[in-house]
Amino acid sequence: MNAADFVALLPLITISATAIVLMIAIAIQRNHKAAVIISLIGVAGAAASLLLTASEKPRQITSLLVLDSYSRLYMAILLGAAVFVFLFGYDYLKRRHERPEEFYLLVLLATTGAMTLVVSLNFVSFFLGLELLSIALYSLIAYVRTESISIEAGIKYLVLAASSSAILLFGLALIYAVSGSMDLSQFAALMVRPTGSANAASLLTGLMLVLTGAGFKLAVVPFQLWTPDVYEGAPLPVTAFIATVSKAGMFAFLLRWFHVHDGGVAGAPGLVLTVIAVASMLTGNLLALLQNNVKRILAFSSIAHMGYLLVALLAGGPLGAPAATYYLIAYAATILGAFGLMSALSSSRCEAASIDDYRGLLWRRPFVAGAFATTLLSLAGIPLTAGFLGKFYVITAGASQSRWMLLFTLVVSSTIGLFYYLRIIVAMYSQAGGPGTDGESSTQPLSFAAILALTALTGLIFLLGVYPTPLWNAITAVTRDLG
């Protein structure tokens, strides 16, 4: 490695160094405000280094990593999401009187793992990034040690994630035994256009096992069983992190692996992913109808949204990657806003998770109710919101490759999903109901940081819904050389 390689790696180095600095600072003196300031400075430094290297040509560093415009875009998405998680987590932990400093350390480590996934060119770096992300998540999910539901969620995630990692590792061992290589580019063609040779069959088996581990992290059917319990048990800022940074990192890796310009994913991998996409869209939306807990509703809806993303991935072609990326950005902004609002409304004793907690919210907090309704309408894909244009681009990408069955399922399942989003909105706008289940949560003022973050996210949802051209052009340029 030379000096230019180190410059290219500055975003990863900065985030890793920030985690070390924060760890030392915690050991010297615990201070919640100092911890969040150090974390935000570290993320800002990493973002600045992205700008510094924005004009650089794609640079491959050893056989493990590549720093190109695609990886820089996704790292910017991850860093932006991490900033909002810090802002929401600050107020949340301050109210809960938890020891909060380690929260920021764990989020920094998990973000480093997700960024490693984004720049991975090899299954070795992919596995290292995945494990760094997963190990930090084990602790983050069970961070509120005084609540049994949080501990239960952490243990469930630990057991299931460890099992999926074992399956993934077995797949990697099979791949290496057959091919003697872990280079991602050697297997991209096989996954997109599989051949019928004996070695290809063995390799395909190994790659499918790897796909199982990736499916677990994305929480697509049939690897979604952990999602509702973990979403419900984890602290709200952690749930927001899982829904955005964790899934975006994994999806960026899959998109780099599967993307092809001349048509979509075909053969056995295409069939498997099609079944997963259809099952995820239908299962997520149908099971969400049965829930009364908003966190569980958003958990099941996240399964459906990952199915929508797979439609764009399967479509491929010149529109597949840009459509998937635009949808992911729109989804990240929207779900961060939703969980951020829930976090801001939670009290020191409990989270605002039941639909009854939001009954009559409009008459108590009109701004918050309006912002929450905006996020829900965006998740439902209503016009003038980011979610609508995200779905429009996904449908366009699917139609360009004649993926009619997937598009039919997307439209039907989206229509089903509209019901449970409207159910929450109707509860917020209903006259019935009082101050919610917790009097403290209905009277506590929002902090300046929360107001700033929620205003920015709500504005972004509208901006991406009415003026997509600059972002779409940027994404199209970035993904042009992908694959």
Side-chain angles (χ1 to χ4, degrees):
M1 291 178 61
N2 52 37
D5 292 339
F6 280 105
V7 172
L9 285 173
L10 267 179
L12 278 168
I13 293 172
T14 305
I15 286 292
S16 305
T18 305
I20 295 171
V21 170
L22 180 57
M23 186 166 54
I24 295 171
I26 294 171
I28 297 172
Q29 177 68 50
R30 283 186 171 275
N31 187 305
H32 188 185
K33 191 172 287 185
V36 72
I37 290 173
I38 291 172
S39 303
L40 288 172
I41 290 173
V43 171
S49 64
L50 283 176
L51 292 175
L52 183 69
T53 58
S55 58
E56 296 284 330
K57 292 181 179 177
R59 175 173 291 276
Q60 183 171 338
I61 301 170
T62 70
S63 61
L64 299 178
L65 308 174
V66 63
L67 274 295
D68 52 11
S69 55
Y70 173 79
S71 59
R72 291 189 193 98
L73 171 65
Y74 268 90
M75 282 195 283
I77 296 170
L78 300 180
L79 292 171
V83 167
F84 286 107
V85 170
F86 288 144
L87 294 177
F88 296 139
Y90 179 73
D91 283 338
Y92 181 93
L93 295 169
K94 193 176 177 183
R95 287 195 298 272
R96 288 300 183 101
H97 306 297
E98 289 285 329
R99 285 197 165 194
E101 291 82 7
E102 287 82 358
F103 170 83
Y104 305 97
L105 176 60
L106 291 167
V107 170
L108 286 170
L109 291 174
T111 304
T112 306
M115 290 169 68
T116 306
L117 293 179
V118 168
V119 300
S120 288
L121 265 185
N122 190 292
F123 282 124
V124 174
S125 52
F126 161 69
F127 187 72
L128 290 174
L130 182 65
E131 287 306 294
L132 181 56
L133 171 63
S134 298
I135 290 170
L137 283 179
Y138 299 154
S139 301
L140 280 170
I141 291 168
Y143 198 80
V144 183
R145 294 167 299 170
T146 54
E147 292 190 6
S148 58
I149 190 171
S150 184
I151 302 295
E152 179 186 337
I155 293 173
K156 281 181 180 175
Y157 189 80
L158 170 65
V159 172
L160 292 174
S163 302
S164 76
S165 291
I167 294 171
L168 188 149
L169 200 56
F170 181 73
L172 294 180
L174 190 59
I175 289 169
Y176 190 74
V178 175
S179 68
S181 172
M182 303 290 267
D183 191 350
L184 196 63
S185 61
Q186 293 195 18
F187 310 111
L190 179 64
M191 289 300 282
V192 178
R193 300 275 188 271
T195 63
S197 69
N199 276 349
S202 301
L203 274 175
L204 201 57
T205 304
L207 293 168
M208 285 298 177
L209 293 177
V210 174
L211 200 57
T212 300
F216 175 86
K217 195 59 71 182
L218 287 177
V220 290
V221 175
F223 315 110
Q224 87 293 355
L225 295 178
W226 60 274
T227 313
D229 290 342
V230 168
Y231 269 51
E232 184 181 11
L236 275 163
V238 177
T239 312
F241 184 87
I242 295 171
T244 53
V245 177
S246 174
K247 292 189 177 184
M250 178 54 73
F251 190 81
F253 173 80
L254 283 184
L255 196 56
R256 186 188 290 280
W257 184 7
F258 282 98
H259 179 69
V260 283
H261 289 287
D262 54 343
V265 184
L271 179 62
V272 170
L273 286 174
T274 299
V275 172
I276 288 175
V278 170
S280 298
M281 288 187 279
L282 292 175
T283 304
N285 281 314
L286 288 172
L287 291 181
L289 293 173
L290 307 176
Q291 311 301 318
N292 290 315
N293 183 297
V294 180
K295 288 178 82 176
R296 292 182 75 87
I297 288 175
L298 295 180
F300 281 111
S301 83
S302 76
I303 297 169
H305 283 283
M306 290 303 108
Y308 303 153
L309 276 171
L310 287 181
V311 173
L313 185 145
L314 281 160
L319 293 177
T325 304
Y326 194 95
Y327 191 91
L328 192 66
I329 294 172
Y331 177 72
T334 306
I335 202 68
L336 277 169
F339 283 124
L341 283 159
M342 293 176 68
S343 178
L345 290 171
S346 298
S347 70
S348 60
R349 294 187 292 276
C350 62
E351 294 181 341
S354 168
I355 288 182
D356 288 335
D357 293 337
Y358 297 89
R359 204 168 295 284
L361 183 66
L362 173 69
W363 314 111
R364 305 193 302 274
R365 296 189 170 208
F367 167 75
V368 174
F372 199 23
T374 301
T375 63
L376 294 172
L377 291 174
S378 181
L379 287 171
I382 300 300
L384 301 181
T385 63
F388 171 76
L389 279 181
K391 277 185 184 168
F392 172 78
Y393 287 132
V394 169
I395 290 172
T396 304
S400 69
Q401 300 296 325
S402 302
R403 299 275 180 169
W404 303 117
M405 187 188 72
L406 285 169
L407 295 182
F408 176 75
T409 309
L410 189 154
V411 172
V412 171
S413 60
S414 294
T415 307
I416 296 171
L418 188 60
F419 176 80
Y420 58 78
Y421 292 126
L422 288 178
R423 190 176 163 214
I424 303 172
I425 294 174
V426 168
M428 287 194 296
Y429 284 68
S430 67
Q431 291 283 356
T437 57
D438 191 314
E440 178 190 340
S441 63
S442 66
T443 57
Q444 65 186 7
L446 298 185
S447 69
F448 176 74
I451 292 173
L452 189 66
L454 294 174
T455 303
L457 288 170
T458 306
L460 186 60
I461 291 169
F462 277 121
L463 182 64
L464 295 181
V466 297
Y467 188 50
T469 308
L471 180 61
W472 175 259
N473 290 341
I475 292 173
T476 304
V478 161
T479 55
R480 189 170 296 139
D481 298 327
L482 187 63

